[in-house]
Amino acid sequence: MNAIHPGVVSTNLIHEPAAPGERPISDFYDPGPFAIPRLGEPADVSAALLYLTSPDASFATGTELVLDGGLLLGPALPIGVA
């Protein structure tokens, strides 16, 4: 079995409040400091799904594909900082 683990993906769930009077999740998330400084797109997840369900992935088993733009890695350090 293979699995896709998406991070923050630009969908209505992120951009619209969960309830009247609440702020959307996108108000609390800034992808700027991460390795890929943007929200994920539904097409990012779709492409991974199409790959894992295609004959090209016929030898992939037990794969956990993390699509989070580096969120789990944490904020990127500026160039020259170690």
Side-chain angles (χ1 to χ4, degrees):
M1 177 184 290
N2 298 310
I4 296 174
H5 302 279
V8 183
V9 178
S10 184
T11 63
N12 291 346
L13 179 67
I14 300 302
H15 295 293
E16 295 180 7
E22 292 185 6
R23 294 169 57 193
I25 292 171
S26 59
D27 283 0
F28 302 96
Y29 178 73
D30 174 19
F34 297 101
I36 301 175
R38 67 173 176 83
L39 294 174
E41 294 294 330
D44 297 323
V45 179
S46 297
L49 178 63
L50 288 172
Y51 167 71
L52 286 177
T53 58
S54 77
D56 292 336
S58 65
F59 204 61
T61 59
T63 298
E64 293 187 18
L65 191 53
V66 178
L67 304 174
D68 70 354
L71 180 65
L72 291 178
L73 294 174
L77 295 173
I79 295 174
V81 176

